[in-house]
């Protein structure tokens, strides 16, 4: 590991200054002196550019990152539409169990658990497959292959005749979704400079939210008859009535995405960081050209960008030679970084988010009729888009750690109020609970939801990033299996029957998550990957990251 030399505190700004001696890399990098000069120049330029200037220079990178992130619309759409079916009369009558106590049909908690967890199990498999495919074939071929698989697997839920087949379909669809989860975040982190990184990684959360909002709109505009299980769907743009099977229509609509995205992504450039790790420096320079605006790109600037990638990759290879999954846990430095990315992802479940996923069921258990429940659910899901838009200036202005702490505080407060309202048996309390869920989703998508993707894209080394995201997302999915198992039982009157009182449970998990963030979550705002390597290698405490300075010039000198 390189020697890290603390220097005296600077005259302005406060905090320790860190510098690193990388002269020992001279025998590992060809034309070492020139690479160092070019890397330092690229690093200075990236820090010097303003936000609007950065967007104009790298609007092509922003475009391609946004296109790949759009793949997650399909995941958000299906994962939530399944939860919406639990409260749909046609779906209940087709697959449900009769409840003599209420005189209606219900999807049992056990089957809700199976359907909700099926996709998560598939995503775990997809994430593991992605770890191999991206290393061997690159990001672009991996995404294209996943889109082809996605189009094929949609046939299963569309023609399913039993809940068992539906679960199998969810598992298989989860495989390409797991690939999308990792590739979109890693690609956005690779192709976007510092000033765009927060916007493009949080956009991933918005794409997921777009899918959720679309699924809510589709289920809201479907009218169900109580007898035959068929629905009449009325589109405001298309006159006439289309007779379709209500619960199959949302699955059919998923076929819109794969052919469109496949055609566009076919022309996307590969990640230059991945090309550098393969030793394909000329291809990496060409990729940088395609990701930059013509008026800003020069052959010299492309050479400097690749030099920066070569130098940073050489630094990280000292800590993770071979880039295996075990390297994410090897040594205290990598273990700490892996802990952070896994924890921030699992906190997305422990902050009360499962209640949002079961919004329709929760409203109906609270006593609201089906139409009002779906109306209110549109308000809840719209917060995925509104909240992410609000998060953009917050993440850029206040940083990742700050909005995580304040976001968890806000979500904890809403869960506490929801839990207390659960003891009040009045119509006013039921609508107040619905309002709390809308606020919960707003707080989530202003903070924990989008900021998570920024943190996991910045925290680990670029060489181990894809593998660390695999581990983080699998930690997320495993946690999701746990929460998806207990949440239906909390809400369902056929199981534990806690109803809104389960908010007290989620309040407790919010408090524990907040305490972890206070002591373990560092601030990564405004740091290049090289600077973050230095801060982690020096074992700087999480609460000191923001005020610790890194001497970038010394970091690229040979002393």
């Amino acid at each position: 590991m390189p020697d890290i030399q603390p220097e005296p505190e600077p005259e302005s700004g406060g905090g320790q200054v860190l510098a690193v001696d990388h002269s020992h890399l001279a025998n590992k990098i060809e034309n070492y002196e020139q690479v160092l000069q070019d890397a330092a120049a690229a690093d200075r330029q990236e820090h010097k550019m303003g936000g609007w200037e950065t967007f104009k220079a790298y609007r092509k990178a922003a475009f391609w990152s946004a296109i790949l992130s759009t793949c997650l619309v399909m995941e958000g759409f299906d994962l939530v539409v399944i939860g919406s079916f639990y409260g749909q009369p046609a779906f209940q009558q087709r697959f449900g169990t009769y409840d003599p106590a209420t005189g209606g049909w219900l999807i049992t908690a056990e089957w809700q658990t199976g359907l909700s967890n099926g996709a998560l199990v598939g995503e775990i498999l997809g994430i593991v497959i992605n770890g191999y495919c991206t290393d061997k074939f690159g990001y672009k071929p991996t995404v294209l292959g996943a889109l082809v698989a996605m189009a094929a697997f949609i046939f299963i839920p569309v023609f399913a005749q039993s809940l068992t087949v539906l679960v199998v379909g969810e598992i298989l669809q989860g495989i390409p979704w797991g690939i999308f989860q990792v590739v979109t975040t890693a690609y956005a982190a690779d192709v976007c400079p510092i000033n765009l990184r927060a916007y493009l990684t949080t956009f991933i959360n918005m794409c997921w939210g777009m899918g959720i909002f679309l699924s809510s709109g589709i289920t809201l505009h479907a009218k169900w008859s109580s007898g035959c299980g068929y629905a009449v769907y009325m589109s405001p743009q298309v006159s006439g009535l289309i007779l379709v099977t209500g619960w199959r229509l949302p699955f059919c609509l998923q076929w819109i995405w794969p052919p469109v995205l496949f055609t566009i992504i076919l022309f996307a450039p590969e990640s230059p960081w991945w090309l550098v790790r393969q030793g394909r420096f000329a291809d990496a320079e060409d990729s940088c050209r395609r990701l930059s605006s013509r008026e800003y790109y020069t052959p010299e600037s492309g050479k400097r960008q690749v030099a920066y990638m070569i130098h940073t990759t050489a630094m990280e290879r000292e800590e993770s030679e071979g880039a295996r999954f075990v390297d994410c846990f090897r040594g205290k430095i990598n273990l700490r970084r892996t802990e952070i990315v896994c924890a921030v992802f699992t906190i997305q479940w422990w902050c009360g988010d499962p209640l949002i996923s079961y919004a329709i069921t929760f409203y109906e258990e609270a006593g609201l009729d089906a139409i009002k429940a779906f109306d209110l659910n549109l308000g809840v899901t719209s917060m995925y888009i509104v909240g992410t838009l609000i998060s953009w200036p917050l993440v850029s202005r206040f940083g990742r750690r700050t909005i995580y702490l304040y976001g968890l505080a806000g979500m904890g407060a809403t869960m506490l109020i929801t839990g207390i309202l659960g003891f009040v048996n009045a119509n006013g309390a039921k609508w107040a609970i619905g309002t709390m869920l809308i606020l919960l989703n707003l707080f989530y998508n202003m903070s924990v939801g989008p900021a998570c993707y920024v943190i996991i894209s910045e925290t680990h080394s670029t060489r181990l990033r894809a593998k660390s995201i695999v581990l983080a997302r699998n930690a997320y999915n495993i946690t999701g299996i746990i929460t998806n198992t207990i949440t239906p039982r909390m809400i369902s009157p056929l199981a534990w029957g806690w109803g809104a009182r389960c908010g007290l449970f989620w309040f407790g998990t919010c408090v524990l998550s907040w305490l972890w963030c206070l002591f373990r979550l560092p601030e990564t705002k405004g740091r290049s990957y090289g600077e973050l390597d230095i801060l982690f290698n020096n074992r700087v405490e999480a609460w000191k990251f923001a005020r610790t300075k890194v001497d970038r010039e010394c970091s690229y000198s040979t002393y």
Side-chain angles (χ1 to χ4, degrees), residues 181 282 362 462:
Q181 289 170 354
F362 181 84
T462 60

Side-chain angles (χ1 to χ4, degrees), residues 60-61 63-69 71 138-141 143-144 147 183 187 191 260-272 275 283 286-288 290-291:
K60 291 182 181 179
F63 169 79
W64 287 116
S65 173
I67 289 296
L68 263 71
S69 297
C71 293
Y139 297 157
K140 177 179 168 180
V143 171
L144 293 176
L147 286 169
V183 171
Y187 188 84
V191 303
V260 174
L261 290 173
F262 184 95
T263 302
I264 299 174
I265 295 173
L266 197 59
F267 299 97
E270 183 56 84
S271 162
L275 292 169
D283 290 339
D286 183 65
S287 181
C288 288
R290 296 185 60 196
L291 292 167

Side-chain angles (χ1 to χ4, degrees), residues 226-248:
S226 59
C228 63
Y230 284 89
V232 176
Y233 175 79
M234 173 70 77
S235 171
Q237 287 79 25
V238 181
S239 62
L241 301 177
I242 305 174
L243 191 63
V244 295
T245 306
W247 54 271
R248 285 179 180 169

